[in-house]
Amino acid sequence: MGGRGGRSGAKSVGKSGGAKAGAQQKDRENAQAGSRSGVDPVRLVARDVLRAVRERDAYANLVLPTLLRERGISGRDAALATELTYGACRSLGLLDAVIEAGSGRSVQEIDGGLLDVLRLGVYQLLRTRIGAHAAVDTSVAMARNEFGQGRSGFVNAVLRRAGEKTAEQWVEELAPSDPVGRLAFEFAHPVWIAQAFADALGVRATELGDLLAADDARPLVHLVARPGEISAEELALVTGGEEGKWSPYAVYLDGGDPGKLEPVRDGLASVQDEGSQLVALSLTRAPLEGPDGGRWLDLCAGPGGKAALLGALAAIDQFQVDAVEPSEHRAELVRKSTRDLPVEVHVVDGRDSGLTPGYDRVLVDAPCTGLGALRRRPEARWRRTPTDVRELVVLQRELLAAAWELVRPGGVVLYSTCSPHLAETVSVVGDFVRRTGAVQLDTRELLPGVTDIGDGPGAQLWPHRHSTDAMFMAALRKPM
């Protein structure tokens, strides 16, 4: 899944072990050949990630760090490779439209390897400050090295046509005429996703351009300071970052590899979007009827970020967290994230967990389309389809129903998604409240100091308003 998908049938990074190994060997051979012929290794890395995404449904944010490490690329070169890779993945719709206009043929008719080179070249021409000469020449050299002189001439011709206009001029020429379609094209989003965002914005749909622009920009790295171990102020001083605006545990970093930071290596901090931090915090702040007995449950725990924050908060009061994750691989990630915390991981399906009811607080951070985190998963927007929404809503409703059976009377279930799509958010919650008589709390009251999160009772964060992922939250209390 492009967003939170490992929980419910994501596309695999490789089609099979043998195919993946063969593709990786091919990547290494291409890289070695490119190096011998003088092709820029930074652009080779970007091209090879684009190829892995296209051929193997790989995730760019998993493939790129491995290739950078294997090929010894660091510093400014690594930063450029990252910009080219993620930028091209994000901009696919715009790039392909320009390539079709410049070549006079559909991208489906272009050899996949050439298409990777063209996408990389057009991205440099239209969305970076790299000179046109360098963008064209390095792309042509890359094509010549792998495909020969004849097809490198095709690349040269298409890129020179693409470079005859600016990005803005191409938008004017190729974008649909309707307002949503035009903005979707300009900011490289599928139209159906842009429309879903506009629907979720409601009366403030005029903000759609700002939202899509923020969703298309490189996000800051967000760290979470582990409660009881280090404060956000201390973490900011140690890392050179800036304290977060909304979460008392958040720190912002401009970039770099957070895995190399000492607090992260020592388990005092980890990477976590500030919006995700607020989800976990909202669960702990929700008012219960009766005392908090210290039994908390994360029903959809993988890969473990929220479970770790809940575990650290639970440890302060000597509470206990159960964490449910059906995939053994992702369950192991939860174990690593929650090491030395009062968290017990259960490798079971949350819809039929077999756990003993009576939890005071239950988090249902449901598997979803991940439309709220597209800026952190560059290729995801082009993989999702409206059909995914329909399939996931069924799972979301089943998990929420299971959580309701596990929470005690007077306890709270916090339902959240990393998606603002109305079908995955207010529709799921509204239908559940009508069927169960759940008491919907005003979630905005659980987010003190966080402004502009909607009219209630649910809360919606936005990249353009809060610089977080577009997290949705709704707090439901079970009547006594």
PDB file of all heavy atoms in Angstrom, residues 219-245:
ATOM      1  N   PRO A 219       8.926  17.580   2.686  1.00  0.00           N
ATOM      2  CA  PRO A 219       8.581  17.850   4.083  1.00  0.00           C
ATOM      3  C   PRO A 219       9.808  17.867   4.973  1.00  0.00           C
ATOM      4  O   PRO A 219      10.835  17.258   4.658  1.00  0.00           O
ATOM      5  CB  PRO A 219       7.672  16.680   4.447  1.00  0.00           C
ATOM      6  CG  PRO A 219       8.166  15.561   3.599  1.00  0.00           C
ATOM      7  CD  PRO A 219       8.610  16.193   2.297  1.00  0.00           C
ATOM      8  N   LEU A 220       9.700  18.565   6.095  1.00  0.00           N
ATOM      9  CA  LEU A 220      10.727  18.499   7.119  1.00  0.00           C
ATOM     10  C   LEU A 220      10.728  17.116   7.757  1.00  0.00           C
ATOM     11  O   LEU A 220       9.723  16.402   7.742  1.00  0.00           O
ATOM     12  CB  LEU A 220      10.468  19.544   8.208  1.00  0.00           C
ATOM     13  CG  LEU A 220      10.556  21.013   7.820  1.00  0.00           C
ATOM     14  CD1 LEU A 220      10.144  21.883   9.005  1.00  0.00           C
ATOM     15  CD2 LEU A 220      11.953  21.377   7.346  1.00  0.00           C
ATOM     16  N   VAL A 221      11.859  16.742   8.329  1.00  0.00           N
ATOM     17  CA  VAL A 221      11.928  15.531   9.140  1.00  0.00           C
ATOM     18  C   VAL A 221      11.402  15.865  10.532  1.00  0.00           C
ATOM     19  O   VAL A 221      11.801  16.868  11.128  1.00  0.00           O
ATOM     20  CB  VAL A 221      13.375  15.008   9.236  1.00  0.00           C
ATOM     21  CG1 VAL A 221      13.454  13.820  10.192  1.00  0.00           C
ATOM     22  CG2 VAL A 221      13.897  14.614   7.853  1.00  0.00           C
ATOM     23  N   HIS A 222      10.486  15.057  11.033  1.00  0.00           N
ATOM     24  CA  HIS A 222       9.961  15.242  12.385  1.00  0.00           C
ATOM     25  C   HIS A 222      10.504  14.144  13.287  1.00  0.00           C
ATOM     26  O   HIS A 222      10.429  12.960  12.953  1.00  0.00           O
ATOM     27  CB  HIS A 222       8.430  15.189  12.398  1.00  0.00           C
ATOM     28  CG  HIS A 222       7.778  16.346  11.737  1.00  0.00           C
ATOM     29  ND1 HIS A 222       6.406  16.500  11.697  1.00  0.00           N
ATOM     30  CD2 HIS A 222       8.289  17.435  11.112  1.00  0.00           C
ATOM     31  CE1 HIS A 222       6.107  17.620  11.062  1.00  0.00           C
ATOM     32  NE2 HIS A 222       7.240  18.194  10.684  1.00  0.00           N
ATOM     33  N   LEU A 223      11.044  14.540  14.423  1.00  0.00           N
ATOM     34  CA  LEU A 223      11.469  13.595  15.454  1.00  0.00           C
ATOM     35  C   LEU A 223      10.508  13.650  16.625  1.00  0.00           C
ATOM     36  O   LEU A 223       9.860  14.679  16.862  1.00  0.00           O
ATOM     37  CB  LEU A 223      12.876  13.930  15.957  1.00  0.00           C
ATOM     38  CG  LEU A 223      14.038  13.897  14.965  1.00  0.00           C
ATOM     39  CD1 LEU A 223      15.333  14.263  15.679  1.00  0.00           C
ATOM     40  CD2 LEU A 223      14.158  12.538  14.297  1.00  0.00           C
ATOM     41  N   VAL A 224      10.434  12.555  17.367  1.00  0.00           N
ATOM     42  CA  VAL A 224       9.686  12.535  18.620  1.00  0.00           C
ATOM     43  C   VAL A 224      10.658  12.206  19.740  1.00  0.00           C
ATOM     44  O   VAL A 224      11.418  11.235  19.668  1.00  0.00           O
ATOM     45  CB  VAL A 224       8.521  11.516  18.572  1.00  0.00           C
ATOM     46  CG1 VAL A 224       9.000  10.107  18.258  1.00  0.00           C
ATOM     47  CG2 VAL A 224       7.734  11.536  19.875  1.00  0.00           C
ATOM     48  N   ALA A 225      10.673  13.057  20.751  1.00  0.00           N
ATOM     49  CA  ALA A 225      11.489  12.808  21.942  1.00  0.00           C
ATOM     50  C   ALA A 225      10.748  11.817  22.830  1.00  0.00           C
ATOM     51  O   ALA A 225       9.550  11.963  23.069  1.00  0.00           O
ATOM     52  CB  ALA A 225      11.726  14.118  22.693  1.00  0.00           C
ATOM     53  N   ARG A 226      11.460  10.806  23.315  1.00  0.00           N
ATOM     54  CA  ARG A 226      10.793   9.793  24.138  1.00  0.00           C
ATOM     55  C   ARG A 226      10.460  10.361  25.510  1.00  0.00           C
ATOM     56  O   ARG A 226      11.347  10.757  26.274  1.00  0.00           O
ATOM     57  CB  ARG A 226      11.669   8.548  24.286  1.00  0.00           C
ATOM     58  CG  ARG A 226      11.068   7.498  25.197  1.00  0.00           C
ATOM     59  CD  ARG A 226      11.709   6.152  25.038  1.00  0.00           C
ATOM     60  NE  ARG A 226      11.325   5.522  23.777  1.00  0.00           N
ATOM     61  CZ  ARG A 226      11.652   4.271  23.432  1.00  0.00           C
ATOM     62  NH1 ARG A 226      12.386   3.533  24.257  1.00  0.00           N
ATOM     63  NH2 ARG A 226      11.254   3.762  22.291  1.00  0.00           N
ATOM     64  N   PRO A 227       9.173  10.409  25.862  1.00  0.00           N
ATOM     65  CA  PRO A 227       8.770  10.930  27.174  1.00  0.00           C
ATOM     66  C   PRO A 227       9.460  10.166  28.308  1.00  0.00           C
ATOM     67  O   PRO A 227       9.618   8.955  28.261  1.00  0.00           O
ATOM     68  CB  PRO A 227       7.255  10.683  27.193  1.00  0.00           C
ATOM     69  CG  PRO A 227       6.858  10.649  25.753  1.00  0.00           C
ATOM     70  CD  PRO A 227       8.005  10.027  25.041  1.00  0.00           C
ATOM     71  N   GLY A 228       9.876  10.927  29.311  1.00  0.00           N
ATOM     72  CA  GLY A 228      10.549  10.321  30.452  1.00  0.00           C
ATOM     73  C   GLY A 228      12.023  10.097  30.249  1.00  0.00           C
ATOM     74  O   GLY A 228      12.734   9.743  31.193  1.00  0.00           O
ATOM     75  N   GLU A 229      12.522  10.310  29.023  1.00  0.00           N
ATOM     76  CA  GLU A 229      13.929  10.088  28.715  1.00  0.00           C
ATOM     77  C   GLU A 229      14.642  11.366  28.285  1.00  0.00           C
ATOM     78  O   GLU A 229      15.778  11.614  28.691  1.00  0.00           O
ATOM     79  CB  GLU A 229      14.076   9.029  27.612  1.00  0.00           C
ATOM     80  CG  GLU A 229      13.510   7.669  27.970  1.00  0.00           C
ATOM     81  CD  GLU A 229      14.365   6.929  28.979  1.00  0.00           C
ATOM     82  OE1 GLU A 229      15.529   7.333  29.190  1.00  0.00           O
ATOM     83  OE2 GLU A 229      13.879   5.940  29.564  1.00  0.00           O
ATOM     84  N   ILE A 230      13.971  12.167  27.455  1.00  0.00           N
ATOM     85  CA  ILE A 230      14.579  13.397  26.943  1.00  0.00           C
ATOM     86  C   ILE A 230      13.454  14.345  26.562  1.00  0.00           C
ATOM     87  O   ILE A 230      12.383  13.909  26.115  1.00  0.00           O
ATOM     88  CB  ILE A 230      15.488  13.099  25.715  1.00  0.00           C
ATOM     89  CG1 ILE A 230      16.295  14.338  25.311  1.00  0.00           C
ATOM     90  CG2 ILE A 230      14.671  12.569  24.550  1.00  0.00           C
ATOM     91  CD1 ILE A 230      17.336  14.060  24.225  1.00  0.00           C
ATOM     92  N   SER A 231      13.660  15.631  26.781  1.00  0.00           N
ATOM     93  CA  SER A 231      12.644  16.621  26.429  1.00  0.00           C
ATOM     94  C   SER A 231      12.862  17.079  24.986  1.00  0.00           C
ATOM     95  O   SER A 231      13.944  16.912  24.410  1.00  0.00           O
ATOM     96  CB  SER A 231      12.716  17.828  27.368  1.00  0.00           C
ATOM     97  OG  SER A 231      13.917  18.564  27.141  1.00  0.00           O
ATOM     98  N   ALA A 232      11.831  17.679  24.415  1.00  0.00           N
ATOM     99  CA  ALA A 232      11.966  18.237  23.067  1.00  0.00           C
ATOM    100  C   ALA A 232      13.019  19.337  23.042  1.00  0.00           C
ATOM    101  O   ALA A 232      13.775  19.462  22.072  1.00  0.00           O
ATOM    102  CB  ALA A 232      10.613  18.773  22.590  1.00  0.00           C
ATOM    103  N   GLU A 233      13.086  20.118  24.109  1.00  0.00           N
ATOM    104  CA  GLU A 233      14.098  21.182  24.176  1.00  0.00           C
ATOM    105  C   GLU A 233      15.502  20.592  24.135  1.00  0.00           C
ATOM    106  O   GLU A 233      16.373  21.071  23.391  1.00  0.00           O
ATOM    107  CB  GLU A 233      13.908  22.003  25.455  1.00  0.00           C
ATOM    108  CG  GLU A 233      14.920  23.135  25.608  1.00  0.00           C
ATOM    109  CD  GLU A 233      14.736  23.893  26.906  1.00  0.00           C
ATOM    110  OE1 GLU A 233      14.043  23.384  27.807  1.00  0.00           O
ATOM    111  OE2 GLU A 233      15.293  25.004  27.011  1.00  0.00           O
ATOM    112  N   GLU A 234      15.726  19.542  24.919  1.00  0.00           N
ATOM    113  CA  GLU A 234      17.044  18.897  24.922  1.00  0.00           C
ATOM    114  C   GLU A 234      17.351  18.262  23.576  1.00  0.00           C
ATOM    115  O   GLU A 234      18.476  18.359  23.066  1.00  0.00           O
ATOM    116  CB  GLU A 234      17.091  17.841  26.030  1.00  0.00           C
ATOM    117  CG  GLU A 234      17.054  18.419  27.439  1.00  0.00           C
ATOM    118  CD  GLU A 234      16.795  17.369  28.491  1.00  0.00           C
ATOM    119  OE1 GLU A 234      16.141  16.341  28.185  1.00  0.00           O
ATOM    120  OE2 GLU A 234      17.243  17.561  29.639  1.00  0.00           O
ATOM    121  N   LEU A 235      16.356  17.627  22.975  1.00  0.00           N
ATOM    122  CA  LEU A 235      16.566  16.974  21.695  1.00  0.00           C
ATOM    123  C   LEU A 235      16.891  17.997  20.609  1.00  0.00           C
ATOM    124  O   LEU A 235      17.769  17.769  19.766  1.00  0.00           O
ATOM    125  CB  LEU A 235      15.314  16.176  21.310  1.00  0.00           C
ATOM    126  CG  LEU A 235      15.384  15.395  20.000  1.00  0.00           C
ATOM    127  CD1 LEU A 235      16.509  14.376  20.017  1.00  0.00           C
ATOM    128  CD2 LEU A 235      14.038  14.716  19.723  1.00  0.00           C
ATOM    129  N   ALA A 236      16.208  19.136  20.646  1.00  0.00           N
ATOM    130  CA  ALA A 236      16.490  20.181  19.663  1.00  0.00           C
ATOM    131  C   ALA A 236      17.913  20.705  19.810  1.00  0.00           C
ATOM    132  O   ALA A 236      18.611  20.948  18.814  1.00  0.00           O
ATOM    133  CB  ALA A 236      15.479  21.318  19.803  1.00  0.00           C
ATOM    134  N   LEU A 237      18.362  20.868  21.043  1.00  0.00           N
ATOM    135  CA  LEU A 237      19.723  21.368  21.278  1.00  0.00           C
ATOM    136  C   LEU A 237      20.764  20.363  20.779  1.00  0.00           C
ATOM    137  O   LEU A 237      21.760  20.733  20.151  1.00  0.00           O
ATOM    138  CB  LEU A 237      19.930  21.642  22.768  1.00  0.00           C
ATOM    139  CG  LEU A 237      19.219  22.864  23.339  1.00  0.00           C
ATOM    140  CD1 LEU A 237      19.355  22.895  24.854  1.00  0.00           C
ATOM    141  CD2 LEU A 237      19.785  24.150  22.724  1.00  0.00           C
ATOM    142  N   VAL A 238      20.530  19.091  21.033  1.00  0.00           N
ATOM    143  CA  VAL A 238      21.491  18.059  20.653  1.00  0.00           C
ATOM    144  C   VAL A 238      21.558  17.888  19.137  1.00  0.00           C
ATOM    145  O   VAL A 238      22.633  17.676  18.571  1.00  0.00           O
ATOM    146  CB  VAL A 238      21.131  16.718  21.324  1.00  0.00           C
ATOM    147  CG1 VAL A 238      21.982  15.581  20.769  1.00  0.00           C
ATOM    148  CG2 VAL A 238      21.313  16.815  22.828  1.00  0.00           C
ATOM    149  N   THR A 239      20.410  17.997  18.469  1.00  0.00           N
ATOM    150  CA  THR A 239      20.351  17.717  17.034  1.00  0.00           C
ATOM    151  C   THR A 239      20.470  18.950  16.163  1.00  0.00           C
ATOM    152  O   THR A 239      20.619  18.832  14.946  1.00  0.00           O
ATOM    153  CB  THR A 239      19.024  17.017  16.692  1.00  0.00           C
ATOM    154  OG1 THR A 239      17.919  17.887  17.043  1.00  0.00           O
ATOM    155  CG2 THR A 239      18.892  15.699  17.434  1.00  0.00           C
ATOM    156  N   GLY A 240      20.394  20.131  16.776  1.00  0.00           N
ATOM    157  CA  GLY A 240      20.385  21.352  15.981  1.00  0.00           C
ATOM    158  C   GLY A 240      19.045  21.605  15.313  1.00  0.00           C
ATOM    159  O   GLY A 240      18.951  22.402  14.377  1.00  0.00           O
ATOM    160  N   GLY A 241      17.999  20.946  15.809  1.00  0.00           N
ATOM    161  CA  GLY A 241      16.672  21.120  15.247  1.00  0.00           C
ATOM    162  C   GLY A 241      15.886  22.216  15.946  1.00  0.00           C
ATOM    163  O   GLY A 241      16.425  22.996  16.742  1.00  0.00           O
ATOM    164  N   GLU A 242      14.607  22.258  15.660  1.00  0.00           N
ATOM    165  CA  GLU A 242      13.705  23.267  16.223  1.00  0.00           C
ATOM    166  C   GLU A 242      12.541  22.568  16.910  1.00  0.00           C
ATOM    167  O   GLU A 242      11.995  21.592  16.375  1.00  0.00           O
ATOM    168  CB  GLU A 242      13.179  24.164  15.098  1.00  0.00           C
ATOM    169  CG  GLU A 242      12.168  25.200  15.535  1.00  0.00           C
ATOM    170  CD  GLU A 242      11.563  25.954  14.357  1.00  0.00           C
ATOM    171  OE1 GLU A 242      12.031  25.761  13.226  1.00  0.00           O
ATOM    172  OE2 GLU A 242      10.606  26.722  14.589  1.00  0.00           O
ATOM    173  N   GLU A 243      12.179  23.028  18.092  1.00  0.00           N
ATOM    174  CA  GLU A 243      11.052  22.418  18.801  1.00  0.00           C
ATOM    175  C   GLU A 243       9.769  22.537  17.982  1.00  0.00           C
ATOM    176  O   GLU A 243       9.516  23.533  17.313  1.00  0.00           O
ATOM    177  CB  GLU A 243      10.857  23.087  20.160  1.00  0.00           C
ATOM    178  CG  GLU A 243      11.946  22.773  21.168  1.00  0.00           C
ATOM    179  CD  GLU A 243      11.646  23.383  22.516  1.00  0.00           C
ATOM    180  OE1 GLU A 243      10.616  22.996  23.123  1.00  0.00           O
ATOM    181  OE2 GLU A 243      12.422  24.259  22.956  1.00  0.00           O
ATOM    182  N   GLY A 244       8.963  21.475  18.045  1.00  0.00           N
ATOM    183  CA  GLY A 244       7.716  21.456  17.298  1.00  0.00           C
ATOM    184  C   GLY A 244       6.707  22.460  17.815  1.00  0.00           C
ATOM    185  O   GLY A 244       6.794  22.948  18.947  1.00  0.00           O
ATOM    186  N   LYS A 245       5.715  22.717  16.981  1.00  0.00           N
ATOM    187  CA  LYS A 245       4.705  23.727  17.312  1.00  0.00           C
ATOM    188  C   LYS A 245       3.512  23.133  18.047  1.00  0.00           C
ATOM    189  O   LYS A 245       2.899  23.799  18.880  1.00  0.00           O
ATOM    190  CB  LYS A 245       4.232  24.403  16.024  1.00  0.00           C
ATOM    191  CG  LYS A 245       3.300  25.579  16.242  1.00  0.00           C
ATOM    192  CD  LYS A 245       2.986  26.284  14.935  1.00  0.00           C
ATOM    193  CE  LYS A 245       2.093  27.507  15.168  1.00  0.00           C
ATOM    194  NZ  LYS A 245       1.766  28.202  13.896  1.00  0.00           N
TER     195      LYS A 245
END
